[in-house]
Amino acid sequence: MITGIKGVRIRRAATVAGVGALLAGGALTAPAHAATAPSVSAKGAFMLNSATGSTLYSKYADTKRPMASTTKIMTARVVLSTPDLNLDRKVTIKQAYRDYVTAKGASTADLKSGDKVTIRQLLHAMLLPSGCDAAMALADAFGTGTTISARTKSFISKMNAKADTLGLTNTHFDSFDGNSTQNTNYTTPRDLAKLARSAMKYSTFAGIVKKPKTVQYATTSTGGTRTYTWYNTNQLLGSYGGAIGVKTGTNTPSGPCLVFAATRNGKTVIGVLLNDQYRYTDAAKLLDYAFGTSSASTMRLRTLPTGAQRD
């Protein structure tokens, strides 16, 4: 049984070629292979065709839920839409960013105080190891005000303004990284998929989130060179053929979350799983459904090195 968005239980119907598949959350057109839509453990899920925006799968698609570090997709989206953006602009890392991570017990890129890193590198640091220190650095750099607190609040306002511009009517941010301050950092599977679709149109964003790993070099406060090695917390990359992103997120109120994307045979799909303890296998099942393939049953997850961030 799959539960619909309005709380009505709907008996799963076998999909017939040429007939729309009825899924939780509404009727939609079945992929060409006409397979039965899979069930997933997520509290909420959604998948769309990236080219057309058409719905491929829906489960409680419009129910608001906390989204953990998938929030950082919007952080990146706001930065990338900044007029006259210079990705090579350098930012000096402040001790406050490190203190924030320690206080929150948050995921980190382990940015060192005094290091000078570029905006492009901060985007890598935020999107691969899910560095909350990098997210704070970006919010501080692109917000306005005379203090870090004022600038980060200003940036969060920009995130909400961008959500309005993108028509994300069931989304609200109270943080730059998903560590909610007022329990008002939420989205829906549909909104988050729309946000990811918008972000993936930026070549910089798409180029970063598909990397399983990156090595970056920064200038230290003494003029030396520091090497940063960051691994992508998204284990679907390198595990499911064609996976190209996007972002993980996990914290206590949100549970395990995943925004995912993959391309096969020229078709790109983007999906969202909120609060799903089986997020990677469920993502693979949904992708198989979209592509008419059967990779999920044999998929082996890419392992992260000891010491790499988990999110």
Side-chain angles (χ1 to χ4, degrees), residues 132-202:
C132 294
D133 45 355
M136 187 177 188
L138 288 168
D140 188 25
F142 287 89
T144 56
T146 57
T147 65
I148 294 176
S149 177
R151 288 189 292 271
T152 54
K153 287 179 181 177
S154 164
F155 185 85
I156 293 166
S157 294
K158 292 183 180 183
M159 295 169 70
N160 284 310
K162 183 62 67 178
D164 289 342
T165 300
L166 295 174
L168 309 182
T169 56
N170 291 313
T171 296
H172 184 268
F173 300 98
D174 67 19
S175 72
F176 46 76
D177 60 357
N179 286 301
S180 181
T181 57
Q182 303 160 18
N183 295 320
T184 55
N185 200 87
Y186 58 79
T187 190
T188 66
R190 188 190 308 273
D191 274 8
L192 192 50
K194 288 168 64 176
L195 171 59
R197 182 186 180 215
S198 172
M200 289 292 278
K201 292 178 181 178
Y202 287 86

Side-chain angles (χ1 to χ4, degrees), residues 35-159:
T36 301
S39 61
V40 296
S41 298
K43 301 295 185 183
F46 190 78
M47 185 169 61
L48 56 76
N49 182 312
S50 181
T52 65
S54 60
T55 299
L56 299 175
Y57 187 93
S58 179
K59 177 182 178 181
Y60 290 119
D62 300 303
T63 298
K64 298 173 184 176
R65 297 187 181 280
M67 61 185 126
S69 284
T70 63
T71 295
K72 292 165 182 165
I73 297 173
M74 180 58 93
T75 306
R77 179 67 177 76
V78 170
V79 169
L80 290 169
S81 63
T82 301
D84 302 317
L85 175 65
N86 177 10
L87 290 168
D88 295 319
R89 168 191 167 192
K90 291 190 175 182
V91 172
T92 300
I93 301 304
K94 299 174 183 176
Q95 182 61 37
Y97 309 156
R98 294 182 59 84
D99 293 343
Y100 170 80
V101 166
T102 300
K104 294 287 186 180
S107 52
T108 177
D110 197 23
L111 297 170
K112 304 298 186 184
S113 300
D115 282 7
K116 295 178 175 58
V117 298
T118 66
I119 300 301
R120 191 191 314 274
Q121 289 174 325
L122 285 174
L123 288 168
H124 279 82
M126 178 178 70
L127 294 170
L128 268 68
S130 201
C132 294
D133 45 355
M136 187 177 188
L138 288 168
D140 188 25
F142 287 89
T144 56
T146 57
T147 65
I148 294 176
S149 177
R151 288 189 292 271
T152 54
K153 287 179 181 177
S154 164
F155 185 85
I156 293 166
S157 294
K158 292 183 180 183
M159 295 169 70

